[in-house]
Amino acid sequence: MKPYELEQFVGFVLQACKTEQEEDGTHGMMLAEKITSEWSDALVKSQVRSFSEEGAPKYIHIAPSSSAEGLLKVSLSKAGVPRNYVVFSIEDNLSIGPLSDLMGRQEEMERMMWLTNELGHECFLFHRHNYISSIQPVLKQIPADKVITIWIGNTAHEQIFLRLMLYILRDVQAEVRVINAVDSFHMVESEDAKGKSSAEGEEELPLMAFGQMDTIKVVPLILDERPYLLSDEEKKEYAREWLQLSRREENLRIWRQGEFQFLPIDAYDERIMSVINEVYNSIDTIDENDKKGDYIKAGHIAGILMKQYPELMDAMFFEYRIRELIGKRRLDFIGAPTALYRFYIKPTK
């Protein structure tokens, strides 16, 4: 944001506060919402204007999470890519919860409240600059002379993210490329492994998500330049698929063998209980740091579940379902069930 734009916004805030004082401060919440809205609008205008300024970046990268955005920025820097780019991201988990009407700020806030209430984490409420409704107005106005690259992997969230981004970009004339970083890494790894012994067991968890990767894996992909250029018809098809996804009522989505599967939110509960019972029956073999008496650390269970069901690849989801199973009195617990490392569980007798 330019200094004069910031000055204009500060002037607006001061004037709004003065008006609020004159009204005896009876509309504090409305003022806070108005200031937040004005700030968001000012940021959008500044970002859109920056696309056409002298020396504006030519390359637009879009990542599926704020952590993936950070990974991508560091990787681009380590790869020696000139700073002729900008990186955007969203902060969400599109594999869980309702997807309808995400284009409006109010509707998206309702989704974030659903995630907060169900998953028990307020983190979704503190990334407003990464909300879809915040970046949508910017992405929709990307000029035709830019090059857009969308980074994904093989999780439901990242595959839905791809379709959502292409729906938002449906009227943008710029070139759009996609890098499935997970597939590309496996391809490079396979080529490098020819004639060499297999190196199994290096991954603690199956590599499914771009957000799982590190710079050691991503930098070679940047240097190797393997993006897939989407045709106009492919872009339209992905946009149509987003509309189909957003109309479905199931609250759990997984990506398996190149296809979406739609499930009720409790679809994995019996499998989770089966794993917990199996681990509990061999509790004597568990490290002392992962148990307390005859209770097992919830984080230890979540790690096993993520390896066994990599299509979910989300510790927060397993924490959510474990808490639900506690609520249904199928699990006993000790500790504070607010984070996986803070509480221990066992099957209810």
Side-chain angles (χ1 to χ4, degrees):
M1 179 173 285
K2 301 293 184 183
Y4 76 88
E5 294 172 320
L6 185 57
E7 183 179 354
Q8 289 176 345
F9 177 74
V10 171
F12 161 78
V13 173
L14 292 175
Q15 182 59 42
C17 289
K18 181 179 178 182
T19 303
E20 187 70 20
Q21 288 175 343
E22 292 172 354
E23 296 179 358
D24 297 324
T26 56
H27 300 87
M29 290 298 292
M30 292 177 62
L31 174 62
E33 190 61 37
K34 187 174 182 181
I35 290 174
T36 299
S37 177
E38 287 288 334
W39 175 247
S40 297
D41 292 343
L43 283 177
V44 168
K45 291 175 183 177
S46 176
Q47 290 174 312
V48 170
R49 192 178 298 114
S50 70
F51 286 143
S52 56
E53 293 177 344
E54 184 178 353
K58 179 177 178 60
Y59 299 96
I60 314 294
H61 295 273
I62 312 178
S65 68
S66 56
S67 60
E69 176 186 343
L71 164 65
L72 187 53
K73 286 178 177 178
V74 174
S75 299
L76 288 165
S77 176
K78 286 191 173 184
V81 176
R83 283 300 303 269
N84 189 21
Y85 60 85
V86 64
V87 184
F88 293 97
S89 69
I90 66 169
E91 190 60 32
D92 203 328
N93 183 351
L94 299 171
S95 66
I96 306 172
L99 291 181
S100 59
D101 300 323
L102 292 190
M103 299 301 112
R105 194 169 291 172
Q106 180 60 37
E107 291 81 3
E108 186 176 24
M109 180 56 69
E110 291 174 4
R111 169 176 163 76
M112 293 304 169
M113 289 302 300
W114 187 95
L115 291 171
T116 300
N117 292 333
E118 293 295 319
L119 273 63
H121 287 267
E122 296 181 351
C123 61
F124 295 103
L125 299 178
F126 299 117
H127 294 273
R128 289 196 175 195
H129 60 289
N130 288 114
Y131 279 10
I132 296 162
S133 57
S134 297
I135 70 168
Q136 178 193 188
V138 180
L139 298 182
K140 289 173 69 174
Q141 298 188 62
I142 294 175
D145 63 341
K146 306 301 181 185
V147 177
I148 303 169
T149 303
I150 303 173
W151 292 77
I152 60 167
N154 291 326
T155 63
H157 164 68
E158 295 183 355
Q159 289 291 328
I160 296 171
F161 161 79
L162 169 64
R163 288 151 177 82
L164 171 58
M165 290 301 103
L166 288 164
Y167 177 77
I168 292 172
L169 296 167
R170 63 192 182 279
D171 295 323
V172 173
Q173 299 303 308
E175 177 182 302
V176 180
R177 309 183 302 178
V178 176
I179 295 182
N180 187 315
V182 172
D183 286 351
S184 296
F185 171 74
H186 287 315
M187 190 181 300
V188 172
E189 187 181 45
S190 177
E191 291 173 358
D192 290 345
K194 288 180 179 178
K196 299 179 182 178
S197 58
S198 176
E200 295 183 4
E202 292 184 358
E203 292 289 342
E204 291 188 7
L205 294 171
L207 182 58
M208 304 290 289
F210 173 54
Q212 274 181 274
M213 301 176 76
D214 55 28
T215 57
I216 295 174
K217 296 181 177 69
V218 177
V219 169
L221 305 184
I222 296 170
L223 297 174
D224 199 40
E225 295 188 343
R226 297 193 184 198
Y228 178 79
L229 177 62
L230 292 177
S231 67
D232 289 342
E233 187 52 45
E234 286 173 316
K235 288 188 281 186
K236 290 176 183 177
E237 179 57 29
Y238 278 126
R240 284 193 291 266
E241 288 180 15
W242 159 254
L243 290 175
Q244 293 168 1
L245 287 165
S246 68
R247 292 169 183 151
R248 296 194 66 105
E249 296 183 357
E250 299 90 348
N251 280 332
L252 177 61
R253 296 161 284 275
I254 62 173
W255 179 257
R256 180 181 284 156
Q257 298 179 340
E259 293 183 351
F260 287 109
Q261 293 183 13
F262 305 93
L263 304 166
I265 199 69
D266 60 355
Y268 278 77
D269 283 8
E270 293 308 315
R271 281 174 272 191
I272 291 171
M273 282 302 306
S274 178
V275 169
I276 292 172
N277 283 317
E278 184 178 343
V279 174
Y280 184 74
N281 289 336
S282 58
I283 193 170
D284 292 340
T285 65
I286 297 175
D287 189 283
E288 291 298 325
N289 293 324
D290 290 324
K291 61 184 178 182
K292 185 173 289 187
D294 62 343
Y295 287 82
I296 306 164
K297 185 179 288 185
H300 179 73
I301 295 292
I304 295 172
L305 289 167
M306 289 175 70
K307 290 178 183 177
Q308 196 151 332
Y309 303 110
E311 67 272 16
L312 293 167
M313 197 47 66
D314 189 347
M316 194 178 292
F317 172 76
F318 288 118
E319 179 185 342
Y320 162 47
R321 296 318 306 167
I322 287 171
R323 284 203 311 272
E324 290 292 302
L325 290 166
I326 290 172
K328 293 176 181 178
R329 299 185 178 181
R330 299 189 65 182
L331 293 173
D332 292 331
F333 76 98
I334 55 173
T338 55
L340 287 167
Y341 63 90
R342 289 180 176 171
F343 68 106
Y344 299 75
I345 58 175
K346 70 175 181 179
T348 301
K349 292 182 179 178

